[in-house]
């Protein structure tokens, strides 16, 4: 059995509020801890009417306070949106409050549209400083602290574990060069998964953080007692992704019986391809599909994600998925 973890975007279900979404997240995290999940990660998105985890560090704190042993972290923080010192202080504070339970996954994308990125950063720099920013952040969290007498307080000496996230080859190359663990966003961008894992493993340089590469892939999952019920529950995520692709993001839609009646065929084909690294169905169906994914890519860890409108059904889906992975 490989370790399995959970990525939650704190979806805001249609007809509910962001507060409901965060309460749902806490309830799911408590269930995930009981079900044997290793990590519970939240992601930074902005200007998204259907996602409640924009203030990611605050939601991480809420989840960590409501659980006892689960590792809680960011999957991820979009570092170009922030000064590295601020992130070091935020996650250093979390690490002080919840020792040896906090992870920090870093992404290079804005996590939003360009207008929102400008609102976040105020001044858009033309150069890509992500590799330098990652190393600056690592420095602030190290025992030696930052350069030029700048210290992260809290933060210095916490050495919060840092992951590099990616959906292309760039992150794989950077994670390998720095000797850091790597997580690929195959749950929505599966095309370069195999190539990225190969580059990461083939060029990995051992570091004080890792002796050998540690690669995690993300997979969508939706489990229910029957294949038919799972397909209906999964329709909410397909509709939400289709709305995003067509420039109309919003709350997580209610499920429908026939998703093809609500999404144009060309868009539906694009969405199904983007979400193809996933497993939907009854437990035996999901077991067969996850076995196939794991056997093909040989990840060191797998992270599951899935947006279901009804939180009770979402919790049950992840509980059933945990049973499937435990049995593999």
């Amino acid at each position: 059995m490989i370790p399995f973890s959970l990525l939650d975007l704190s979806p805001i279900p249609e007809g509910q509020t962001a507060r409901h979404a965060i309460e749902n997240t806490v309830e799911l995290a408590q269930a995930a801890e009981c079900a044997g999940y290793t990590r519970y990660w939240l992601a930074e998105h902005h200007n998204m009417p259907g996602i409640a985890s924009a203030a990611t560090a605050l939601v991480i704190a809420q989840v960590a306070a409501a659980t006892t042993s689960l590792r809680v972290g960011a999957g991820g923080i979009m570092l170009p949106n922030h000064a590295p010192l601020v992130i070091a202080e935020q996650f250093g504070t979390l690490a002080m409050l919840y020792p040896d339970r906090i992870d920090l996954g870093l992404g290079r994308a804005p996590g939003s549209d360009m207008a929102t990125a400008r609102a976040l950063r105020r001044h858009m720099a033309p150069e890509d400083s992500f590799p330098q920013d990652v190393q600056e952040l690592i420095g602030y969290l190290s025992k030696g602290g930052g350069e030029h007498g700048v210290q992260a307080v809290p933060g210095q000496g916490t050495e919060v574990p840092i992951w590099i996230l990616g959906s292309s080859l760039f992150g794989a190359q950077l994670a390998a060069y720095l000797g850091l663990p790597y997580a690929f966003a195959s749950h929505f961008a599966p095309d370069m998964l195999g190539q990225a894992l190969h580059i990461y493993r083939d060029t990995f340089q051992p570091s004080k953080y890792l002796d050998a590469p540690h690669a995690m892939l993300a997979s969508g999952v939706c489990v229910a007692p029957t294949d038919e019920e799972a397909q209906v529950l999964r329709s909410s995520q397909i509709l939400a992704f289709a709305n995003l692709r067509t420039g109309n993001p919003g709350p997580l839609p209610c499920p429908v019986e026939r998703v093809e009646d609500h999404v144009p065929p060309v868009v539906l084909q694009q969405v199904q391809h983007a979400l193809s690294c996933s497993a939907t169905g009854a437990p035996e169906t999901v077991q067969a599909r996850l076995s196939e994914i794991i056997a093909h890519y040989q990840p060191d860890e797998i992270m599951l994600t899935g947006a279901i409108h009804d939180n009770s059904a979402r919790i049950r889906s992840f509980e059933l998925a945990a049973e499937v992975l435990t049995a593999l």
Side-chain angles (χ1 to χ4, degrees), residues 98-123:
Y98 309 102
D100 199 30
R101 291 185 57 204
I102 302 299
D103 295 328
L104 176 50
L106 300 174
R108 179 178 171 227
S112 59
D113 57 85
M114 289 311 297
T116 307
R118 289 188 182 92
L120 284 164
R121 303 182 205 179
R122 311 306 297 171
H123 303 288

Side-chain angles (χ1 to χ4, degrees), residues 205-227:
Q205 299 183 32
S207 68
K208 68 177 183 179
Y209 313 106
L210 283 178
D211 294 327
H214 186 96
M216 178 162 60
L217 67 80
S219 172
V221 71
C222 184
V223 198
T226 67
D227 287 350

Side-chain angles (χ1 to χ4, degrees), residues 13-216:
E14 198 171 69
Q16 298 186 28
T17 66
R19 176 168 182 163
H20 290 124
I22 293 173
E23 290 172 347
N24 290 344
T25 281
V26 169
E27 189 178 359
L28 177 59
Q30 292 170 330
E33 184 169 62
C34 294
Y37 284 84
T38 300
R39 310 175 199 279
Y40 194 99
W41 281 6
L42 294 131
E44 176 188 352
H45 292 83
H46 299 279
N47 194 30
M48 298 287 282
I51 295 178
S53 56
T56 317
L58 292 178
V59 185
I60 289 171
Q62 191 80 354
V63 170
T67 52
T68 57
S69 59
L70 193 66
R71 294 197 67 88
V72 189
I77 290 295
M78 302 298 106
L79 192 54
N81 294 338
H82 311 279
L85 177 60
V86 171
I87 300 304
E89 291 168 342
Q90 289 178 2
F91 280 79
T93 301
L94 288 168
M96 291 287 188
L97 294 171
Y98 309 102
D100 199 30
R101 291 185 57 204
I102 302 299
D103 295 328
L104 176 50
L106 300 174
R108 179 178 171 227
S112 59
D113 57 85
M114 289 311 297
T116 307
R118 289 188 182 92
L120 284 164
R121 303 182 205 179
R122 311 306 297 171
H123 303 288
M124 298 289 288
E127 70 278 1
D128 182 359
S129 61
F130 182 67
Q132 294 79 16
D133 289 346
V134 170
Q135 293 180 82
E136 182 181 344
L137 175 54
I138 291 173
Y140 288 131
L141 295 171
S142 69
K143 292 179 180 178
E147 297 180 353
H148 311 297
V150 179
Q151 298 180 5
V153 183
Q156 182 175 343
T158 56
E159 297 189 332
V160 176
I162 287 181
W163 291 66
I164 300 297
L165 315 184
S167 58
S168 66
L169 306 183
F170 180 89
Q173 294 166 334
L174 180 62
Y177 176 75
L178 296 176
L180 295 172
Y182 177 58
F184 192 88
S186 37
H187 60 297
F188 72 88
D191 287 344
M192 295 185 182
L193 173 59
Q195 191 178 358
L197 293 182
H198 173 75
I199 288 173
Y200 173 64
R201 290 164 173 157
D202 195 51
T203 63
F204 181 85
Q205 299 183 32
S207 68
K208 68 177 183 179
Y209 313 106
L210 283 178
D211 294 327
H214 186 96
M216 178 162 60

